[in-house]
Amino acid sequence: MKVLIVDDDVVDRKVVKRTLCASSDSHHEVQEATSAAQGMSLLSSSQFDVILLDYRMPEVDGIEMVSDMRAKPDMGNTAIVMISAYDEPSLALDCIEAGAQDFLAKNEITLSKLEKAILFANKRFEIEQRMHKSYLAVKKMAEKDPLTGLSNRYHFEETLKILIASNKRVTSKVALLALDLDNFKHINDTMGHAAGDKVLQQSVKRIRKCLRNNEGFARLGGDEFAIILGNITSGDEISRIANRILDSFKVAFNIDDKEVHCGVSIGVALCPDDSVNAQTLLKCADIAMYRAKQNGKNGVSFYESYYQTEFNQRFLIQNELIGVLENASFRLLYQPLFSAKDKSLLGFEALIRWPEMDPHFTPEEFIPVAEQSKLINRIGEWVITTAFNQLSQWHRQFNTALTMSVNISAVQLHDSDLLPYLSHTLERLSLSANSVILEITETALIKDNKKVTDILRVLSGRGFKIALDDFGMGFSSVSHLMEYPIDIVKLDKSMQTSNESSDKHQRIFKALALMLKTLDFVVVAEGIETKEQLLQCQQFNLERLQGNYLGLPLNKERSELFLASIFDV
């Protein structure tokens, strides 16, 4: 066993050395040092099993030497027995607390006690080392994400708190970037979680290459990541890094020899501009990231204070939506659809409305939230059930072949349960599919072209009429008319002309109407508000008309009175 004696008293060193050498059972290789400095020098060049260290020495005492050793990993792998001329319990505790494994009074040194102290010190040291390794392993598990090796949420938030606190003394800013992979759930659902894990790991590699070495980078959970940028003096620095990350995702991932496209949305919040609290700053970055997703994904958005108000509004609507759904308390209004030729009634469009309760929200407010939260699928089923039940009742009550139009959102078109639900409801009510018009907007045609095309073709093949709503605003494209099985085109109400409309506006409206008729589409003019607009639509030979001038949206009871007046019931 290699032993180092560190003691400035030559007599004490000789006593300890002679005692060790008196052992016949074990061999001790002993070296001596007369000071802490000499002892540290020997430790830096040699390894020892145990150190017998005097408590009281000139310049640097034994406890200081222990502290220095334990602070240096390359010198800390040795058991320590403190020896002292003073035999006080408090002194022994101080030595143990400093990092020694045992304490022995010099006046009690015997071969037996010295060998026991060395043996026990070595064993205690081994146990301490194992415990320390276990602690480090647990600490790593507590701070690191096992899949990517990045900091986890807990460690990231603690790091952010420290950085914010230290940044108060400087004039630069701290930027927090919240990142969320776009369409990651689709990858997981279609290719499996193993493929999803590979996308996450490859994403981390791409993002790392865009960062400086000193940035904090963490996986907060799922496909959510966060980055801390310190010492920021201008927004351009953040934009450059964010845009480098966005560009790195333009190249497809190679997952199991398949090309996988995945973008990333980035939200940015600044300290102290947006908050000096770590949790609040992270929340601001999250809100900005959701705004980036709302803006079309694969982009970057800096936090603005009014985003918080919008976020709170969305949160309130989502909570209220759940309650309204559970109570089935939505309302349906029915707006009549007329023939332009003789103004005869052709059918109704079902329009969903919020219950007559506070807080109250318009469809323009609650439908986007329902789509984002996927509650639109359940809402859509309620609309289909309620509208089809009403149509079936009116068919029997008034002995007429009226149609019912229901609006189908882009999210519903991606729901595999949509077609079975439509078919089952028709069968249960003995309704024909050609009495139902499914209205979609062009935004539904932009996402996942093939999947939307396939479902629309199946629906059309089953006899449903497909209407393209709001044509003439936003994304209007003639190519959509040719690519999809569309039967009816509804000209958006913004296309309607008035006395104040420009001649150019009127010519555009006429040209669109003529083009659609030439292509053999059934054309519906929406938003008829005046007699002049009605006459103009008739002049352009449009087949169907809808608007408040002809008929307001009515509840069930008023619709039945309206029908009774038409059919003399």
Side-chain angles (χ1 to χ4, degrees):
M1 179 179 289
K2 293 187 69 174
V3 180
L4 174 63
I5 303 171
V6 183
D7 195 330
D8 64 317
D9 190 313
V10 63
V11 175
D12 288 345
R13 289 201 309 273
K14 285 183 178 179
V15 170
V16 173
K17 187 174 182 180
R18 187 166 55 246
T19 303
L20 284 172
C21 292
S23 172
S24 58
D25 296 332
S26 58
H27 171 70
H28 298 293
E29 182 183 329
V30 181
Q31 290 192 48
E32 301 175 44
T34 60
S35 67
Q38 188 182 4
M40 294 291 283
S41 177
L42 287 170
L43 282 167
S44 65
S45 58
S46 302
Q47 289 288 330
F48 294 90
D49 297 305
V50 69
I51 301 172
L52 301 174
L53 177 59
D54 185 22
Y55 165 74
R56 188 174 295 281
M57 290 186 295
E59 297 181 1
V60 178
D61 66 23
I63 284 186
E64 289 180 273
M65 181 175 170
V66 173
S67 299
D68 288 345
M69 285 176 57
R70 294 309 186 216
K72 298 179 180 180
D74 56 337
M75 291 186 181
N77 295 322
T78 306
I80 300 171
V81 177
M82 297 293 288
I83 55 177
S84 175
Y86 304 96
D87 186 12
E88 299 174 8
S90 60
L91 176 61
L93 289 174
D94 288 343
C95 293
I96 299 299
E97 202 169 284
Q101 277 69 49
D102 210 340
F103 178 88
L104 194 61
K106 287 185 178 181
N107 60 5
E108 294 182 352
I109 291 178
T110 64
L111 177 61
S112 174
K113 286 187 176 180
L114 191 56
E115 288 193 325
K116 280 183 181 178
I118 291 172
L119 179 65
F120 292 167
N122 264 315
K123 181 53 66 176
R124 288 191 190 104
F125 186 70
E126 286 178 17
I127 293 169
E128 287 173 12
Q129 288 291 85
R130 288 201 298 270
M131 289 177 66
H132 185 64
K133 286 180 181 177
S134 297
Y135 162 75
L136 291 177
V138 172
K139 185 173 183 289
K140 183 178 180 181
M141 289 173 63
E143 295 180 348
K144 297 293 182 183
D145 170 54
L147 179 66
T148 62
L150 298 177
S151 296
N152 62 14
R153 178 181 284 273
Y154 168 77
H155 188 235
F156 180 81
E157 289 179 357
E158 292 302 307
T159 303
L160 182 60
K161 289 175 187 175
I162 294 169
L163 191 58
I164 288 175
S166 63
N167 196 69
K168 292 177 182 177
R169 298 186 294 271
V170 297
T171 57
S172 61
K173 301 179 190 296
V174 173
L176 177 59
L177 277 63
L179 298 83
D180 189 272
L181 302 187
D182 298 328
N183 305 318
F184 179 74
K185 185 178 184 300
H186 178 71
I187 295 170
N188 258 346
D189 291 345
T190 56
M191 299 183 66
H193 290 281
D197 288 348
K198 291 177 183 177
V199 169
L200 291 172
Q201 290 168 330
Q202 291 185 27
S203 296
V204 168
K205 289 180 181 178
R206 294 187 184 192
I207 295 169
R208 276 193 190 280
K209 290 179 181 179
C210 302
L211 303 177
R212 302 170 302 200
N213 292 327
N214 60 337
E215 266 95 27
F217 184 20
R219 182 188 179 200
L220 304 185
D223 60 331
E224 298 177 32
F225 299 90
I227 298 167
I228 305 172
L229 304 177
N231 299 318
I232 296 297
T233 56
S234 76
D236 290 342
E237 298 176 61
I238 305 167
S239 295
R240 281 195 296 271
I241 293 171
N243 285 320
R244 282 204 299 267
I245 294 172
L246 293 176
D247 288 342
S248 73
F249 278 78
K250 288 180 179 178
V251 179
F253 292 89
N254 188 305
I255 306 297
D256 301 329
D257 296 325
K258 293 181 181 177
E259 279 197 355
V260 176
H261 293 273
C262 181
V264 61
S265 295
I266 304 173
V268 182
L270 293 173
C271 172
D273 302 46
D274 300 319
S275 180
V276 293
N277 176 274
Q279 288 287 343
T280 305
L281 196 67
L282 191 54
K283 183 179 178 182
C284 291
D286 272 338
I287 291 172
M289 181 269 292
Y290 285 121
R291 173 53 65 107
K293 284 192 176 292
Q294 284 181 317
N295 290 342
K297 300 183 179 180
N298 201 41
V300 57
S301 176
F302 283 74
Y303 177 76
E304 298 285 352
S305 58
Y306 70 87
Y307 291 172
Q308 180 72 57
T309 304
E310 292 181 354
F311 181 83
N312 292 342
Q313 173 87 334
R314 288 199 305 273
F315 185 75
L316 173 63
I317 290 173
Q318 185 169 331
N319 281 345
E320 293 289 336
L321 273 172
I322 294 170
V324 173
L325 258 175
E326 288 176 351
N327 298 322
S329 53
F330 281 110
R331 296 178 298 136
L332 273 191
L333 299 184
Y334 304 94
Q335 184 164 32
L337 178 69
F338 297 93
S339 166
K341 185 177 181 181
D342 55 12
K343 290 195 287 187
S344 61
L345 179 66
L346 300 175
F348 291 89
E349 179 182 358
L351 301 170
I352 190 169
R353 294 293 184 265
W354 195 263
E356 292 181 343
M357 55 177 272
D358 291 324
H360 189 273
F361 304 104
T362 67
E364 289 75 16
E365 291 173 322
F366 71 79
I367 292 297
V369 177
E371 290 180 326
Q372 291 163 16
S373 61
K374 297 296 190 291
L375 290 171
I376 193 67
N377 292 327
R378 289 173 58 193
I379 293 173
E381 289 180 355
W382 179 86
V383 170
I384 289 167
T385 298
T386 307
F388 287 15
N389 275 332
Q390 190 61 72
L391 181 64
S392 176
Q393 178 188 328
W394 287 342
H395 278 187
R396 295 192 305 273
Q397 185 176 352
F398 299 105
N399 191 27
T400 179
L402 295 172
T403 63
M404 181 67 75
S405 299
V406 291
N407 292 277
I408 304 293
S409 83
V411 176
Q412 287 175 272
L413 288 176
H414 289 79
D415 180 15
S416 58
D417 292 331
L418 175 63
L419 179 59
Y421 194 84
L422 284 166
S423 300
H424 172 73
T425 307
L426 286 178
E427 184 178 353
R428 178 174 60 82
L429 297 170
S430 300
L431 282 173
S432 170
N434 60 23
S435 66
V436 174
I437 300 171
L438 304 178
E439 296 195 10
I440 60 171
T441 60
E442 286 197 278
T443 53
L445 307 182
I446 294 172
K447 301 175 183 178
D448 200 346
N449 184 289
K450 185 178 185 307
K451 188 166 186 178
V452 171
T453 303
D454 291 344
I455 184 63
L456 288 179
R457 283 178 177 162
V458 172
L459 289 168
S460 179
R462 296 286 180 90
F464 294 98
K465 299 298 180 185
I466 309 297
L468 184 60
D469 199 9
D470 300 334
F471 189 81
M473 68 171 293
F475 301 99
S476 294
S477 169
V478 176
S479 64
H480 289 154
L481 301 175
M482 312 312 296
E483 292 173 15
Y484 298 94
I486 295 167
D487 306 292
I488 302 164
V489 178
K490 300 185 75 173
L491 289 173
D492 185 70
K493 61 184 178 181
S494 65
M495 299 303 298
Q496 286 294 338
T497 62
S498 64
N499 292 334
E500 294 78 23
S501 299
S502 67
D503 182 56
K504 183 177 181 181
H505 191 149
Q506 294 182 20
R507 290 202 306 271
I508 290 173
F509 181 67
K510 182 178 180 180
L512 273 177
L514 180 61
M515 177 194 73
L516 293 170
K517 286 185 64 63
T518 303
L519 293 172
D520 291 331
F521 290 105
V522 174
V523 183
V524 180
E526 294 184 289
I528 307 295
E529 304 289 341
T530 65
K531 183 178 181 180
E532 289 74 23
Q533 291 174 344
L534 169 62
L535 294 174
Q536 187 175 60
C537 291
Q538 290 174 328
Q539 179 187 346
F540 295 158
N541 294 321
L542 301 184
E543 290 95 335
R544 301 179 186 180
L545 307 173
Q546 191 175 12
N548 291 345
Y549 178 74
L550 296 166
L552 292 167
L554 304 171
N555 62 21
K556 172 186 175 182
E557 291 74 22
R558 289 181 177 274
S559 296
E560 288 181 352
L561 290 174
F562 173 66
L563 286 168
S565 68
I566 292 176
F567 296 107
D568 297 323
V569 175

